[in-house]
Amino acid sequence: MDWELIQRVFIYFVQAAWTTVEVSMLAICIGLCLGLTGALCKLSPNPWLRYPARVYVSVFRGTPCLIQLFIIYFGGPQIGLQLEPLAAAIIGLGLNIGSYMSESIRGAILAVESGQSEASRSLGLSKAQTMIKVIMPQAARLMINPLGINIIALIKGSSLVSAISVVELTYTSHRYIGSTYRPFEMFLLAAFFYLIIVSIASFFIQKVDNRYALEI
């Protein structure tokens, strides 16, 4: 183990870890927006909303995330979509994780007892009011753990963006392996930072879960 080498490149891995966090957080925001929209559209009786949402979920869950990133970054210019690597990474990961979050959110909504909706409607609440004021607050508790799993998977899966030249942890590892020929130290350092990021994310997800549990 070359500790001197690890100390020398440590700061560069810190910078790369920040890029990993940045990409992951922005992709999570996109994913949550798409996930909520997709879930509500799939539950809608309107086929113009329901079928496009089904296609979106099926396509992005049924194809590899790496291929999706390649299509967006390398294939985009052919259709006039020229994106920087970081933007392509955020959009690609966001679209991918949004399809999984959509099913997690939809499952949580369907898990709320149907009698809650019927009771709300009998009190004069509209469908939108019932969803916002009655169903979603109860579904929120049920979707924390599934969404947490999606978030952790996204953070670890963000290593794929190294394939489109985003300078995050995995890309940085490969770059320094090429100049130092020390793969063990480089990949171990990358794994260390991934573990730190995932542990912090897991801690906050558990805190949110515990807070909702206390409110029940």
Side-chain angles (χ1 to χ4, degrees):
M1 180 78 72
D2 191 339
W3 293 105
E4 183 180 348
L5 173 62
I6 290 176
Q7 291 175 3
R8 192 164 67 247
V9 301
F10 190 84
I11 185 62
Y12 301 107
F13 276 82
V14 171
Q15 295 168 357
W18 176 249
T19 300
T20 294
V21 171
E22 181 183 11
V23 168
S24 299
M25 291 300 294
L26 292 174
I28 288 167
C29 292
I30 293 173
L32 285 171
C33 293
L34 290 174
L36 179 59
T37 302
L40 294 177
C41 286
K42 287 191 73 173
L43 292 170
S44 172
N46 186 339
W48 292 100
L49 297 176
R50 190 170 65 253
Y51 291 127
R54 286 182 179 178
V55 171
Y56 160 66
V57 171
S58 297
V59 168
F60 281 92
R61 291 187 68 184
T63 56
C65 184
L66 184 60
I67 298 299
Q68 295 163 19
L69 290 169
F70 284 162
I71 291 173
I72 293 170
Y73 182 65
F74 295 114
Q78 290 186 241
I79 58 173
L81 184 64
Q82 187 79 42
L83 295 173
E84 294 296 322
L86 189 63
I90 293 168
I91 292 171
L93 289 179
L95 287 168
N96 181 267
I97 203 64
S99 64
Y100 290 91
M101 288 183 168
S102 174
E103 291 300 281
S104 297
I105 294 171
R106 187 174 73 94
I109 292 172
L110 291 175
V112 176
E113 188 180 350
S114 60
Q116 299 285 331
S117 179
E118 295 169 1
S120 301
R121 297 303 301 279
S122 68
L123 293 174
L125 295 179
S126 66
K127 288 184 177 180
Q129 289 174 324
T130 299
M131 179 61 69
I132 295 171
K133 296 182 178 180
V134 179
I135 304 300
M136 288 304 294
Q138 296 181 67
R141 170 67 182 86
L142 301 174
M143 66 179 70
I144 292 173
N145 282 330
L147 289 179
I149 293 171
N150 295 152
I151 289 170
I152 298 304
L154 171 66
I155 293 172
K156 293 187 289 186
S158 67
S159 61
L160 294 173
V161 304
S162 63
I164 58 172
S165 303
V166 177
V167 187
E168 45 71 72
L169 286 168
T170 303
Y171 184 92
T172 301
S173 299
H174 284 291
R175 184 168 67 179
Y176 282 103
I177 288 169
S179 60
T180 64
Y181 302 101
R182 305 288 294 188
F184 182 79
E185 287 86 345
M186 298 302 101
F187 284 131
L188 186 64
L189 198 52
F192 168 76
F193 278 104
Y194 278 119
L195 180 60
I196 294 297
I197 295 169
V198 168
S199 297
I200 292 172
S202 299
F203 171 78
F204 282 107
I205 292 167
Q206 189 61 52
K207 291 286 285 186
V208 173
D209 189 38
N210 291 341
R211 181 174 180 180
Y212 268 93
L214 291 173
E215 293 178 356
I216 296 177

